[in-house]
Amino acid sequence: QNYPNPFNPSTKISFTLPEDGHVTLRVYDILGRAVGELLNETMRAGSHQTTFDASQLPSGVYFYKLDFGGKSISKKFVLTK
């Protein structure tokens, strides 16, 4: 999950990987358009954290999608300005 939520202008997204592998983490707006790619790399197993800076985006509801090892996790978060 991310913290804080709602956020302005940045939030930290934390996740844990059960094994080494390729990870993509993308952010989408409410209409499903990609507005950012935070990760697209091979990562080691364990806990990780990345920061999403939304200072150039308007207020609203966004989603991030974490893809790893054939699985996807999506979460909603809110940008308030």
Side-chain angles (χ1 to χ4, degrees):
Q1 187 61 42
N2 68 298
Y3 179 82
N5 189 13
F7 67 98
N8 177 23
S10 66
T11 186
K12 294 184 185 302
I13 300 171
S14 300
F15 57 95
T16 302
L17 301 176
E19 58 191 39
D20 297 356
H22 191 82
V23 175
T24 59
L25 179 60
R26 294 183 179 100
V27 177
Y28 299 89
D29 66 13
I30 194 73
L31 298 176
R33 297 178 295 207
V35 296
E37 182 173 85
L38 305 179
L39 297 170
N40 187 0
E41 61 188 78
T42 300
M43 300 182 79
R44 302 200 57 82
S47 297
H48 300 274
Q49 181 174 283
T50 190
T51 301
F52 174 55
D53 179 5
S55 58
Q56 302 300 314
L57 296 173
S59 297
V61 176
Y62 293 87
F63 298 88
Y64 64 87
K65 182 179 175 190
L66 177 72
D67 292 309
F68 171 79
K71 298 178 184 174
S72 292
I73 298 170
S74 296
K75 300 278 185 177
K76 177 176 82 168
F77 57 151
V78 179
L79 170 61
T80 58
K81 290 191 173 183

